[in-house]
């Protein structure tokens, strides 16, 4: 049975190295634990149980740690600060003409309305989101 567990571990490690998704690594480690049980003379039932339990335990214990390390770090930019803030239209917003600028928090943005409507100069607006280099806004009510 030792050869079986070595083969299982090797195959799972190869699969893991090809995918980089941390899916099969837990089972590869479980196979190594089952290999240790086999080397100690455990029955096939105990080896199988060792494989299943150690894989599950390793998965449960290490996955939160791995997720924490692999979580992408999102860097906020100054642009993100405009979202949700109030601004003033400084150039009429007209989707058909492709015009429109707003001033939000001291910065001037090219803008378009969320629903495609025209918004006149000096109207109060709220920044909803950013699409490319344009600030998507809606009239402040």
């Amino acid at each position: 049975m030792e050869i079986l567990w070595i083969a299982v571990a090797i195959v799972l490690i190869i699969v893991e190295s090809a995918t980089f998704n941390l899916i099969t690594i837990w089972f590869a480690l479980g196979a190594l634990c089952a290999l240790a049980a086999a080397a100690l003379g455990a029955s096939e039932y105990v080896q199988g149980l060792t494989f299943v339990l150690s894989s599950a335990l390793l998965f449960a214990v290490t996955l939160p740690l791995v997720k924490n390390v692999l979580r992408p770090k999102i860097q906020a930019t100054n642009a993100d600060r405009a979202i949700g803030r109030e601004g003033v239209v400084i150039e009429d917003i007209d989707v058909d003409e492709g015009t429109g600028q707003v001033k939000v928090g001291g910065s001037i943005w090219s803008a378009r309305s969320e629903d495609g409507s025209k918004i006149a100069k000096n109207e109060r607006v709220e920044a909803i989101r950013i699409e490319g280099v344009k600030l998507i806004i809606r009239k402040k009510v």
Side-chain angles (χ1 to χ4, degrees), residues 2 79 110:
E2 288 92 348
S110 294

Side-chain angles (χ1 to χ4, degrees), residues 63-132:
L63 185 64
L65 299 173
V66 170
K67 275 187 165 180
N68 198 21
V69 170
L70 296 179
R71 183 177 300 134
K73 309 287 188 276
I74 297 173
Q75 183 67 40
T77 64
N78 288 338
D80 297 330
R81 294 183 184 151
I83 298 172
R85 294 187 67 187
E86 188 176 310
V88 177
V89 176
I90 59 173
E91 177 187 6
D92 291 348
I93 296 174
D94 187 339
V95 176
D96 296 332
E97 296 290 324
T99 61
Q101 287 188 330
V102 295
K103 186 172 187 178
V104 177
S107 297
I108 297 175
W109 286 83
S110 294
R112 69 178 177 85
S113 61
E114 181 181 38
D115 59 2
S117 63
K118 295 180 182 181
I119 302 177
K121 185 176 179 178
N122 295 324
E123 288 274 346
R124 300 257 213 222
V125 294
E126 179 183 5
I128 306 302
R129 66 181 179 277
I130 299 170
E131 288 183 5

Side-chain angles (χ1 to χ4, degrees), residues 5 26-27 30-31 34 46-58:
W5 291 118
W26 323 114
F27 299 107
V46 172
Q47 293 173 38
L49 192 59
T50 301
F51 172 72
V52 171
L53 292 177
S54 61
S55 296
L57 183 64
L58 287 165

Side-chain angles (χ1 to χ4, degrees), residues 4-15 27-29 31-32 35:
L4 172 68
W5 291 118
I6 291 170
V8 169
I10 289 172
V11 167
L12 291 171
I13 289 169
I14 290 170
V15 169
F27 299 107
L29 295 172
L32 293 176
L35 172 63

